[in-house]
């Protein structure tokens, strides 16, 4: 599964409504992938949400160093492919980080995203953190 920004927040922060679901999905996943763009976005989100900066930075560093998580470092080609996707989806409010995730998920045949972001469903992926 792809680890998205909102999913990582749910994973780290016990007060998030989907914390337990995020932990369970993370532990059950056979494959965990994220990008340095997601990690960068997470740092900003954690700061806006008022999480302690040392804890969020430690969390990101641990994820990037973890053998249980593959962190894809976005290069020029993936970045450009994501920009092309954004140009074809002008009716959507996707972020560049979202678009990078979508391109990568398609390239790697990943269907599931640890996220609360409905944009993943709009692109045909399965959002794992959703109210039923």
């Amino acid at each position: 599964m792809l680890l998205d920004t909102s999913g990582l927040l749910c994973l780290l922060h016990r007060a998030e409504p989907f914390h337990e679901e995020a932990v369970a999905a993370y532990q059950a996943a056979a494959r965990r992938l994220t990008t340095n763009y997601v990690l960068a976005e997470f740092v900003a989100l954690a700061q806006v949400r008022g999480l302690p900066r040392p804890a969020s930075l430690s969390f990101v560093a641990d994820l990037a160093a973890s053998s249980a998580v593959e962190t894809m470092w976005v290069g020029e080609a993936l970045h450009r492919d994501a920009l092309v996707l954004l140009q074809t989806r002008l009716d959507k409010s996707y972020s560049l980080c979202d678009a990078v995730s979508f391109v990568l998920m398609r390239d790697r045949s990943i269907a599931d995203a640890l996220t609360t972001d409905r944009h993943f469903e709009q692109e045909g992926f399965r959002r794992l953190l959703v109210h039923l």
Side-chain angles (χ1 to χ4, degrees), residues 56-75:
S56 61
L57 292 174
S58 178
F59 179 72
V60 165
D62 290 348
L63 277 175
S66 174
S67 61
V69 176
E70 179 186 354
T71 300
M72 174 74 179
W73 297 89
V74 177

Side-chain angles (χ1 to χ4, degrees), residues 14-107:
R14 292 178 188 270
E16 287 297 313
F18 289 109
H19 174 72
E20 290 179 18
E21 292 89 341
V23 170
Y26 180 88
Q27 291 173 343
R31 178 175 168 195
R32 299 173 196 94
L33 175 67
T34 196
T35 68
N36 60 311
Y37 280 29
V38 167
L39 298 180
E41 191 175 69
F42 172 82
V43 170
L45 178 61
Q47 183 172 332
V48 167
R49 293 287 185 91
L51 297 181
R53 192 161 175 84
S56 61
L57 292 174
S58 178
F59 179 72
V60 165
D62 290 348
L63 277 175
S66 174
S67 61
V69 176
E70 179 186 354
T71 300
M72 174 74 179
W73 297 89
V74 177
E76 183 178 350
L78 180 53
H79 180 93
R80 286 182 188 272
D81 289 347
L83 288 173
V84 168
L85 176 69
L86 289 177
Q87 287 289 346
T88 66
R89 305 289 196 279
L90 294 176
D91 62 320
K92 305 291 187 216
S93 59
Y94 301 164
S95 70
L96 178 58
C97 183
D98 289 344
V100 164
S101 294
F102 302 155
V103 170
L104 184 59
M105 289 176 76
R106 285 195 179 97
D107 287 349

